[in-house]
Amino acid sequence: MRPSLFARLRVHRPLLVLALVVLPGLAVAADPLEDFTRLFRQTPERPDKEQLKAHKERIGKAAAALVRPSDLRRALLLWEWRNFELPQEAPDEEENPFAKTYQKIQLDLAERLKTSLRDGLASKEAERRLAVVTFLASMAREEIGREGESIREEPGPKRPPIFRFTPSMAADVRKVLAADKDAEVCAAAAESVVAIDPARKETLEALKPLLSPKREASERRAAARGLGQMVRAVAAGGRYISAPWRPQPGAPPGGAPQRPASALERMGPDILAACAPGLGDEDAAVRRLCLETIRQAAHALTEALGNPEGLIRPLARALNARTKDVRGRLPDKDLSVCLSAHQALEAMATARRSLRGGPRLPLWRGGPSEPPRPADQVLLDGILEALPELEKSLSHAEVRVRLASLYVLETLDADAAPAAAAVAKVFADKNGFVRWGAVRVLHNMAPQAPDKAVPALTLALKDDNKTVRLTAANALRRYGPKASEAVGPLGAAVGDAEPRVRLGAINALASIGEKAASQTGVLIRALKDDKTPEARAAAAKALSRLGPLGKESVKALRFALRDPDPTVRQAAGDALLDNPE
């Protein structure tokens, strides 16, 4: 007969006890990192001298047992170190009896990891050097992510400096970039040095040689990618990193002290200048990555408008210096590069628009022979020179390129007027989004180039796409009396099936004014019969702007005084009061 489970347990009870009592202890001891972490997180709150001594000995042995670089890294990245990051002066033993011990352990862990990694960097095996720089890049990202805050060069007035291990290895990684002959190692080192110190000029200087045409494509790509990461770092995390004060361009001698230069102000122009070789690189990925860096810098300029104008000037000038290179990439044969060039120009145009609508800036004075100009034109001049290339892009075979070109022209507002004729031809495009983009361009440039824009917008009132029709009606409203040749089609659009199109057409007729008097009957019918109160109220307002009210208009407005919607009744009353018999 087979023994029961209970009987088997009684037979093997000694072995079961051994497994339950001994094996867990062995499992903990088998993993030095787990043992160290457990002791680190179980610090006695109010230990006596015996407990204090015993705990220090145990955690010291546990720390000494950490040998593998991966274990040393995880130990240094423990959140609990924050509780022991004290100011530079001697720690208060009464406040934190473990402070000296833990700081000593932290420094010892860091020194042992540093020694191990430096040995790896000195290895003749490329695989080991590659492993070290990859290790450092990963650890740098973990350090920054662990803190959940921006990169700072200096601590705040009431906060101790945050311990980061990887900056102590930055100089070693830069030496790898300068001397290592393995392309894969150099590419990984470029990623690593940017992850460690993205807001340092030393990092930028280390990346520049990698963009040389003599370097491997993988190295050039890594350097170009690193430039973009640096822009993101200095624009976001490092925006207010302190630096020694320096006079701003044009500042009077002995003037009042200005704020310290931000990381974006100090680094942005230099990063953009470093992009220049990459924009002409034979590798499409390098060109695209450098264009992406320029786009990010333009976005950073837009976001920085709340800062003193000293920040805007150097970054705007640096962007303007790159516009010629960006224009040269608009007809690039590689589609991704072509699209990136258009997107970079759009970001520049957005920055220029923000400059115009932002705080009033002093006139920009360049060289002695240059006339003073508004500060936004420091960036604007170069973009306008791209209009011929943008016009050519409007007939590109790829729909995304046509749309990208329209986005740039749309952002240029009235300054896109020289391209009005080319935009008007786009209304024959088979793609509805492209036609809609063309309407938006003409809308934003209004009231410029009415001889080219109004006929095209009139044609768009009959488009199959209701969004195109609506945007065209709103654009014609902006042209006002200059859109008089569109009066007839606008009158027809008042009967459109789409309520918003009807409302837009009515408002456009009101904007044209007396030149739209021929459409009085259309507006009267809309006032009486339209199902939407917004359109009826707009028709009442429009009747008052088409000149003296006729009998039929007065009769319709009086009838509208009994409309069930209060906004229509008010509009009708205002029209009658504004135009007495």
Side-chain angles (χ1 to χ4, degrees):
M1 182 176 178
R2 188 176 182 180
S4 66
L5 176 62
F6 179 75
R8 281 180 284 165
L9 287 176
R10 282 194 303 171
V11 171
H12 300 290
R13 183 179 297 173
L15 294 178
L16 181 63
V17 171
L18 178 65
L20 293 176
V21 175
V22 177
L23 291 184
L26 293 177
V28 171
D31 187 346
L33 177 61
E34 186 175 342
D35 191 26
F36 175 79
T37 304
R38 177 177 57 82
L39 289 170
F40 198 43
R41 291 173 175 171
Q42 294 179 355
T43 304
E45 292 185 6
R46 292 184 179 179
D48 55 29
K49 291 184 179 181
E50 293 294 330
Q51 290 177 322
L52 178 63
K53 182 179 179 181
H55 182 75
K56 287 181 178 181
E57 289 178 355
R58 286 196 299 269
I59 198 169
K61 291 179 180 179
L66 299 176
V67 177
R68 296 181 300 180
S70 59
D71 288 344
L72 294 170
R73 176 178 71 175
R74 299 315 309 172
L76 287 171
L77 289 172
L78 288 174
W79 270 96
E80 285 74 14
W81 288 114
R82 294 176 65 93
N83 298 327
F84 302 97
E85 287 174 337
L86 303 177
Q88 297 298 324
E89 60 267 13
D92 187 350
E93 285 286 341
E94 293 184 2
E95 181 179 345
N96 190 339
F98 298 102
K100 285 185 178 180
T101 299
Y102 282 17
Q103 285 186 341
K104 182 180 178 180
I105 290 174
Q106 186 184 55
L107 292 175
D108 177 66
L109 293 173
E111 284 301 317
R112 285 194 282 134
L113 180 57
K114 190 184 300 183
T115 300
S116 176
L117 295 179
R118 283 178 174 168
D119 289 343
L121 291 178
S123 172
K124 295 182 179 181
E125 298 177 2
E127 292 77 9
R128 193 175 178 197
R129 302 196 302 276
L130 178 62
V132 172
V133 293
T134 304
F135 177 100
L136 287 169
S138 174
M139 186 173 183
R141 286 189 288 267
E142 285 185 276
E143 285 177 329
I144 297 172
R146 173 192 65 165
E147 303 303 338
E149 60 183 54
S150 304
I151 298 171
R152 293 180 290 111
E153 287 181 357
E154 296 179 359
K158 294 183 179 181
R159 300 191 60 184
I162 295 173
F163 176 83
R164 290 183 63 214
F165 167 78
T166 53
S168 65
M169 296 292 297
D172 299 271
V173 180
R174 290 196 294 268
K175 289 179 182 178
V176 171
L177 279 175
D180 205 293
K181 296 182 179 181
D182 187 280
E184 190 176 4
V185 173
C186 285
E191 178 184 357
S192 180
V193 74
V194 172
I196 294 171
D197 268 339
R200 294 275 187 182
K201 290 206 172 186
E202 293 86 348
T203 300
L204 179 60
E205 294 302 320
L207 290 181
K208 286 181 180 180
L210 268 66
L211 285 170
S212 169
K214 297 180 181 179
R215 305 302 287 258
E216 295 291 332
S218 60
E219 297 175 286
R220 303 198 304 273
R221 290 178 186 178
R225 190 179 299 108
L227 293 177
Q229 292 168 348
M230 290 186 71
V231 166
R232 288 194 294 272
V234 299
R239 182 172 298 165
Y240 297 110
I241 296 175
S242 299
W245 175 81
R246 58 181 175 81
Q248 300 297 335
Q258 302 181 36
R259 61 158 177 79
S262 71
L264 178 60
E265 182 179 1
R266 290 185 288 112
M267 295 291 296
D270 293 336
I271 296 173
L272 288 173
C275 286
L279 292 171
D281 197 279
E282 63 179 15
D283 186 82
V286 176
R287 301 196 299 273
R288 178 181 56 79
L289 289 167
C290 288
L291 287 167
E292 176 64 17
T293 298
I294 293 173
R295 185 182 70 84
Q296 292 170 354
H299 284 316
L301 173 62
T302 303
E303 295 174 359
L305 287 174
N307 294 337
E309 46 88 15
L311 167 63
I312 297 171
R313 287 182 172 181
L315 194 56
R317 291 192 73 185
L319 279 168
N320 196 53
R322 299 276 73 81
T323 51
K324 183 178 180 180
D325 300 317
V326 175
R327 295 199 311 268
R329 301 270 64 86
L330 290 176
D332 200 285
K333 294 181 180 179
D334 186 275
L335 180 60
S336 65
V337 176
C338 176
L339 288 171
S340 294
H342 284 82
Q343 291 165 358
L345 273 184
E346 181 188 1
M348 290 180 180
T350 302
R352 169 284 219 160
R353 175 191 276 177
S354 300
L355 280 169
R356 282 193 160 184
R360 185 175 180 84
L361 303 179
L363 291 178
W364 171 257
R365 291 175 172 82
S369 60
E370 295 184 35
R373 294 175 295 163
D376 62 309
Q377 289 187 6
V378 174
L379 179 61
L380 175 62
D381 289 351
I383 298 175
L384 293 183
E385 294 175 7
L387 286 177
E389 287 89 350
L390 292 171
E391 291 181 26
K392 293 178 182 177
S393 296
L394 294 176
S395 58
H396 199 280
E398 172 59 46
V399 64
R400 286 177 292 174
V401 176
R402 302 200 297 275
L403 283 170
S405 180
L406 288 168
Y407 294 155
V408 180
L409 294 170
E410 178 185 358
T411 312
L412 287 175
D413 299 327
D415 292 309
V423 175
K425 295 178 182 178
V426 176
F427 286 88
D429 199 287
K430 295 181 180 180
N431 187 285
F433 285 104
V434 174
R435 298 195 302 276
W436 183 34
V439 175
R440 295 200 310 272
V441 173
L442 298 181
H443 175 279
N444 284 10
M445 74 169 60
Q448 303 298 320
D451 55 326
K452 305 292 191 306
V454 172
L457 293 170
T458 302
L459 179 66
L461 289 173
K462 301 178 182 179
D463 197 276
D464 294 337
N465 189 306
K466 62 183 180 182
T467 305
V468 174
R469 300 197 303 274
L470 171 61
T471 310
N474 291 336
L476 288 169
R477 179 185 181 184
R478 294 194 64 188
Y479 279 90
K482 294 181 180 180
S484 57
E485 63 180 276
V487 165
L490 282 170
V494 175
D496 196 279
E498 171 60 36
R500 294 179 300 165
V501 175
R502 298 199 300 271
L503 177 61
I506 292 171
N507 289 330
L509 290 171
S511 179
I512 293 172
E514 294 184 3
K515 293 182 178 180
S518 61
Q519 302 304 309
T520 299
V522 172
L523 294 174
I524 290 175
R525 285 194 296 274
L527 177 59
K528 291 181 178 180
D529 303 331
D530 201 285
K531 296 180 180 180
T532 60
E534 294 84 3
R536 297 198 301 274
K541 295 177 182 178
L543 284 172
S544 68
R545 298 183 182 181
L546 268 57
L549 294 175
K551 291 183 179 181
E552 292 298 322
S553 298
V554 172
K555 183 178 178 181
L557 289 168
R558 285 179 177 175
F559 180 81
L561 291 174
R562 299 190 294 274
D563 193 280
D565 190 274
T567 59
V568 177
R569 298 196 299 269
Q570 181 175 343
D574 291 345
L576 289 170
L577 289 173
D578 292 342
N579 294 269
E581 298 181 8

